[in-house]
Amino acid sequence: MKDIIRDSTIGQIINRVSGGRYLPYSDQRSNYSIPSHFILPPSTSKEEIGPIDDKPGIPSPELITHDAKSPSGSGESLTRINTPRINTPMAEGSQNDHENGAVKNEPLSFDPYLVGWNDDDDPDNPRNWSFSKRAFTTFCISFLTFSVYVGSAIYTPAIPGLMEAYDISLVKATLGLTLYILAYGTGAMFLSPLQELPILGRNPVYIGTLFIFVLFQLPIAIAKNFSTILAFRFLTGFFGSPALATGGASLGDIWPIHQLAYVIGLWALGGVAGPIVGPVIGGFPAQANGWRWPIYELIWISGFALVFLALFLPETYEPTILLRRAERLRKLTGNPNLRSQSEIDAASTTASDRLYEALVRPFILAAEPALLFANIYLAFVYAVFYLWFEAFPLVFTDIYHFNLGLSGLPFVSFLISGIVTYTAYCLYQKYHIASRYAKAGGAVAPEIRLEIGLVASLFIPTSVLVFGFTSKSDIHWIVPIIGAALYIPGIYLTFQSILMYITMAYPSHAASVLAGNNLFRSAIASVFPLFGHAFFTNLGLRGGSGLLAGISFVLMAMFFLLCKFGHVARARSRFAHSG
């Protein structure tokens, strides 16, 4: 428990302020033994060695230690290479020349000043954490994602009260939902790349933006006019975006690749739970106490998350952990030349490179045929998901006469369906995907990830058709609820399938690919609630559902083509992995 608190945001502050006296790392304890190669030889001045600003992997005369000896006493030179660990110098190759009795020495592939992991079992390495610590961290990240995602749909029970309080139309009142969804797609483009800066890491961005997220809820709760609500709904969505965009990356920091699909699936389930739970917990308070109470609930949930995560969410980003270790060791040894690999790499990366990667490349990649389809299809599936928040009041309030509180309860069916779907997904991973990887020795085409998504896409038109055609007063309300619940296998498995595919197909540009997809689907989904009520009112539940199902079938045909010919598209791309 101590190391979890130590690695959290509050723990890091306590450690720094106390100079390592409280919640110390191993290199801050009195019994720590400094590696001998980290200490400057007495005859060497800082000026002789100079700062480390060369490119990694290129030996430089200034970076060779003076009088450095290997354990064998051969006197071999130690040169810089790109190595991830603190190792004891060992000769790569030295052989006896029996003809002349001399020893032929070669330079060691070892950088004495590169700060890395102590060994393969270094407990500070996130991949060496215990299962319980990784599971707890996964819970924390899922809770963070839930705390922000719940903010989208928890607003919907407040819409009738807002219409009455500010004398506005349904479309205008729905803008509070629309702007929030749009903002968390936009904000991720600007805020998520900050987590890739080793000087910051994941936690300062998570906790800093969550603090602003909680703070900006207050003007909404006490707003005197609707314009204030709209402005701060956008800002809260914007600053809540890192939790939604990079939670999967945080899990990738700590879990091995063969377990990652399971935990990503669990994290995604937590993300789906947010919008589903929102109307359930917001409906009764809004009915009893007015539109402000769902916002109060969001403040309580996100405020608790802020305190809990500031205390217990450990930093997971490896470059940041090693950079902080290098800072401590420089202070301890007085050797300014100790550097982590991220500090060396930063010397060759400019701010314009980072801006290009974050803001330009996602749009360039979006023109790729496979990514264009992925963006369009997931945007449609995601947009229809948010149409449910407009369709449910029409069905369960107008047809079945549920009150405001009860009208949110049908969303519970989504939770039950989600749990069953996740269980099936885990079994699929274990008994189908894992065996195929094992037979192929890990060399499988990314297109195998699309197979389950193609099958699951059948649930989408099935769901909307059952819901639309059974929502009648002479049919029990449980039937359209079951129809709606069938949507979750479709959206969940399709998302898992396509997002896994595009990250495998574009491994060198995964961050840009996911950022572009997140922006595109959020922008499209944000618009659909604005016309959802008019859509179903003018076309009718049957007509509207039939149109959505028809579009789904057309996109399924394109999905099949991607499964069949995705490898051809990858072979023609200069960005994709062609293997």
Side-chain angles (χ1 to χ4, degrees):
M1 177 59 75
K2 282 187 177 180
D3 60 325
I4 290 178
I5 297 176
R6 179 199 65 193
D7 294 339
S8 70
T9 302
I10 297 297
Q12 290 289 293
I13 293 173
I14 293 173
N15 179 276
R16 284 177 177 266
V17 171
S18 68
R21 285 188 300 167
Y22 300 107
L23 302 176
Y25 287 87
S26 59
D27 50 62
Q28 293 175 317
R29 296 189 175 100
S30 58
N31 61 350
Y32 178 69
S33 178
I34 304 173
S36 59
H37 51 280
F38 278 179
I39 303 173
L40 283 170
S43 61
T44 306
S45 67
K46 298 176 184 177
E47 288 75 16
E48 285 179 294
I49 295 181
I52 294 179
D53 59 2
D54 64 318
K55 294 182 179 180
I58 303 176
S60 173
E62 291 84 359
L63 299 173
I64 300 175
T65 58
H66 300 274
D67 302 323
K69 303 289 183 181
S70 71
S72 63
S74 60
E76 297 160 323
S77 299
L78 303 176
T79 60
R80 172 181 298 281
I81 65 162
N82 185 3
T83 178
R85 295 187 180 90
I86 304 169
N87 293 324
T88 304
M90 295 181 64
E92 279 191 342
S94 62
Q95 61 184 27
N96 292 324
D97 188 335
H98 295 288
E99 294 182 358
N100 55 23
V103 176
K104 182 179 180 181
N105 296 323
E106 296 180 2
L108 288 179
S109 295
F110 175 76
D111 174 9
Y113 295 147
L114 182 63
V115 177
W117 303 123
N118 295 327
D119 51 49
D120 289 335
D121 299 318
D122 191 327
D124 288 341
N125 186 341
R127 296 191 181 277
N128 292 333
W129 290 353
S130 67
F131 178 84
S132 59
K133 184 175 180 179
R134 282 182 286 154
F136 178 76
T137 304
T138 301
F139 166 77
C140 289
I141 294 168
S142 299
F143 180 44
L144 171 62
T145 305
F146 170 85
S147 301
V148 176
Y149 256 132
V150 75
S152 61
I154 203 173
Y155 174 87
T156 56
I159 289 177
L162 287 166
M163 293 171 62
E164 182 179 351
Y166 295 105
D167 191 24
I168 55 177
S169 66
L170 175 62
V171 172
K172 190 171 182 179
T174 306
L175 278 172
L177 173 63
T178 290
L179 290 175
Y180 190 94
I181 299 169
L182 176 62
Y184 66 60
T186 307
M189 299 287 290
F190 297 91
L191 298 177
S192 294
L194 296 178
Q195 292 187 324
E196 305 298 325
L197 300 176
I199 196 171
L200 290 177
R202 310 233 186 261
N203 270 10
V205 178
Y206 280 148
I207 302 303
T209 55
L210 184 60
F211 173 77
I212 298 173
F213 178 85
V214 175
L215 188 66
F216 281 4
Q217 300 297 337
L218 299 177
I220 299 175
I222 62 175
K224 300 299 182 183
N225 57 74
F226 190 64
S227 297
T228 299
I229 294 174
L230 292 183
F232 280 93
R233 281 290 290 177
F234 181 87
L235 290 172
T236 51
F238 187 92
F239 285 103
S241 61
L244 313 183
T246 55
S250 295
L251 297 177
D253 293 338
I254 62 178
W255 290 98
I257 189 66
H258 66 280
Q259 295 176 324
L260 188 57
Y262 300 96
V263 292
I264 290 289
L266 188 62
W267 169 69
L269 188 61
V272 171
I276 292 171
V277 170
V280 177
I281 63 176
F284 288 105
Q287 177 183 332
N289 299 303
W291 69 266
R292 299 182 194 272
W293 275 82
I295 306 302
Y296 293 151
E297 288 183 310
L298 181 56
I299 294 173
W300 299 334
I301 294 170
S302 56
F304 174 77
L306 175 63
V307 175
F308 180 83
L309 297 172
L311 279 171
F312 297 114
L313 176 62
E315 177 60 61
T316 64
Y317 193 45
E318 178 179 317
T320 297
I321 296 171
L322 290 176
L323 183 147
R324 291 172 181 167
R325 173 179 284 184
E327 291 174 344
R328 295 193 302 270
L329 288 172
R330 284 197 291 270
K331 181 178 179 180
L332 179 65
T333 63
N335 183 355
N337 302 289
L338 297 178
R339 292 289 188 275
S340 66
Q341 187 62 52
S342 61
E343 291 176 289
I344 299 169
D345 294 341
S348 59
T349 305
T350 64
S352 60
D353 292 334
R354 297 190 186 100
L355 287 173
Y356 178 84
E357 180 72 23
L359 301 179
V360 178
R361 182 165 287 165
F363 293 98
I364 295 175
L365 287 166
E368 293 272 301
L371 293 178
L372 182 61
F373 168 76
N375 291 344
I376 292 173
Y377 191 67
L378 289 188
F380 172 77
V381 173
Y382 197 47
V384 173
F385 178 65
Y386 275 99
L387 274 184
W388 291 114
F389 298 103
E390 299 300 317
F392 271 32
L394 288 172
V395 172
F396 297 108
T397 301
D398 296 349
I399 297 177
Y400 293 106
H401 307 296
F402 287 16
N403 60 35
L404 182 58
L406 291 175
S407 65
L409 292 182
F411 284 99
V412 175
S413 66
F414 284 174
L415 279 179
I416 298 171
S417 178
I419 293 170
V420 174
T421 302
Y422 175 69
T423 303
Y425 177 70
C426 289
L427 294 174
Y428 171 79
Q429 289 291 328
K430 182 176 181 179
Y431 294 107
H432 183 72
I433 292 294
S435 62
R436 291 180 69 174
Y437 268 82
K439 289 178 183 178
V444 295
E447 283 72 29
I448 73 164
R449 292 290 181 179
L450 294 174
E451 295 169 359
I452 191 173
L454 180 60
V455 174
S457 62
L458 288 168
F459 282 91
I460 293 169
T462 302
S463 172
V464 296
L465 287 173
V466 171
F467 179 83
F469 281 80
T470 61
S471 296
K472 298 190 296 182
S473 58
D474 58 339
I475 297 178
H476 196 276
W477 50 260
I478 195 63
V479 180
I481 287 179
I482 293 172
L486 292 175
Y487 196 79
I488 291 299
I491 186 174
Y492 179 86
L493 295 175
T494 299
F495 261 69
Q496 294 297 105
S497 168
I498 290 181
L499 293 182
M500 286 292 292
Y501 168 72
I502 61 178
T503 52
M504 288 178 63
Y506 296 82
S508 299
H509 308 288
S512 296
V513 165
L514 293 174
N517 182 273
N518 182 59
L519 174 64
F520 192 88
R521 72 172 185 263
S522 297
I524 299 299
S526 68
V527 177
F528 271 52
L530 293 177
F531 63 79
H533 186 275
F535 176 78
F536 286 114
T537 300
N538 294 330
L539 294 181
L541 286 168
R542 293 185 179 187
S545 299
L547 179 58
L548 294 175
I551 296 172
S552 295
F553 283 121
V554 172
L555 292 175
M556 282 172 59
M558 297 174 63
F559 201 156
F560 173 78
L561 292 176
L562 181 62
C563 287
K564 187 77 173 177
F565 301 107
H567 64 286
V568 177
R570 286 189 292 111
R572 295 177 178 177
S573 171
R574 63 190 180 97
F575 298 108
H577 171 62
S578 58

